[in-house]
Amino acid sequence: MKAFLSILKNDVRIVLRDVKALLLLLLMPVLVISIFAKALGPLLEKTVFVEPFSIAVVDKENSVWTGVLAAQLKKLEILDNIYKTDEEEAREMIRRNEVAAAIVIPENITASVDRWEPEQGKVIGNSLLHLESQLIKNVAVVGSAAVSAGLAELYAIRDYEQRAGIDPDQIYQDLVSANEEFINTVLARKEVFTESRRDAYGVSAIEHYAASLLAVFIMFASIPCIKLLAQERSLGISTRVIAAPAGGWQSISAKLLLSVGISTAQFLVVGLFLKLSAKGIGRMQIGPFIPVFLCTTVAAAAFSMLIASFATSLASTDLIANLSILLMAIIGGSVYPLTSLPALCRDLSMLTINRWSAEGFLAALAGGDAGGISASCKALLALAALYFAGAVLVHRLKRRRLA
């Protein structure tokens, strides 16, 4: 025990020598979380993360109603300019990348709606502006669905009143009134998407990125300790420690404990930041966060041992650790939400620490969902076992090769 405390004291002294790096580890999470929340926060909410873009409208009917539709499109915040042109010119503008898409309104669309047999329009997309084209296609789909819903409502009114024996003239007046009310309601909308929260409160952008990035910074906190192990290995200190009666576990345990201490300090700093900046954070209890944090720390420690087993020098340790953590941050959804990533990344995220850690922290932030926290903790412990087994396997293979 005395030897362990001596090694731990020496490791703490080495880390404290570089005060700037230590302060960077403690304060960088707050800075990065603030930047991510400000820059990428809109990505979690509405469509304001898309720069305003232009579209073309091909109005083959050119009636009052289609003019109202074009005026409605101008109210959309995501649209910069709307060019009214013919279909050939619209295709040429898409080819020149001047517009993101073109909406083609067919002839006699108003009369076809009056006949309750609406003609279909179309959207011509721009392959170079795929996201913007998809937004316009979604707008068109929402519009066609709204028309279908309105016609279904008119059918229901007509059938009900006919079966009730109401006068045909009165049925006609009711249908005209319902049709006008529906059209006015649809044309009065100006938002592409609306959001409704199912709970009494939601998770803000700062809270979301704090939960997503905290595991990444916990993994970064282990890098100084991994580098200490690599340095001891290169200087031959590890060989002498292993040859000692107590074995090499004391040196490794001391560095893991130091890593846990740095991670705990980060956790407290981020918690204080959330307490001061996030609205309603005072409603939450610290209890649900502790098991997620502990399991994340255990998984990060096992991951650091896996990195240390692969690395052969101080430089390779630094390179492998930083690249693997950054890759894990992207695949695990810490930078962009998992829903915005390809299916392959979502599948690979199952092997990342930050994916499960973020789910656990978000469950705690959203009200302490015990089921979500338990599932995240089990996944983190399973990853820790997997990483540790990998580290042991690599270490044994290296020893056989040396023998």
Side-chain angles (χ1 to χ4, degrees), residues 347-368:
D347 294 336
L348 291 175
S349 69
M350 304 289 286
L351 298 175
T352 62
I353 296 172
N354 48 314
R355 185 258 172 85
W356 297 108
S357 176
E359 288 191 5
F361 283 127
L362 287 172
L365 283 167

Side-chain angles (χ1 to χ4, degrees), residues 55 76 162 180 237 269 389:
I55 65 169
L76 297 177
Q162 283 180 346
E180 290 182 354
I237 298 175
V269 170

Side-chain angles (χ1 to χ4, degrees), residues 297-316:
T297 305
V298 170
F303 180 73
S304 67
M305 293 178 67
L306 179 62
I307 296 298
S309 66
F310 276 108
T312 56
S313 64
L314 191 63
S316 64

Side-chain angles (χ1 to χ4, degrees), residues 170-237:
Q170 182 61 43
I171 294 176
Y172 176 76
Q173 293 297 327
D174 291 341
L175 290 176
V176 170
S177 176
N179 187 43
E180 290 182 354
E181 182 179 355
F182 170 75
I183 291 175
N184 290 331
T185 301
V186 171
L187 294 179
R189 296 178 61 185
K190 72 173 187 177
E191 288 190 347
V192 181
F193 305 107
T194 57
E195 177 185 13
S196 59
R197 298 191 181 276
R198 286 183 284 180
D199 44 16
Y201 49 83
V203 177
S204 67
I206 289 181
E207 293 170 350
H208 172 84
Y209 280 108
S212 299
L213 293 170
L214 187 55
V216 175
F217 288 111
I218 289 175
M219 287 188 285
F220 272 119
S222 65
I223 291 181
C225 302
I226 301 174
K227 292 169 71 175
L228 283 176
L229 277 174
Q231 188 176 22
E232 289 180 359
R233 187 185 302 165
S234 62
L235 295 174
I237 298 175

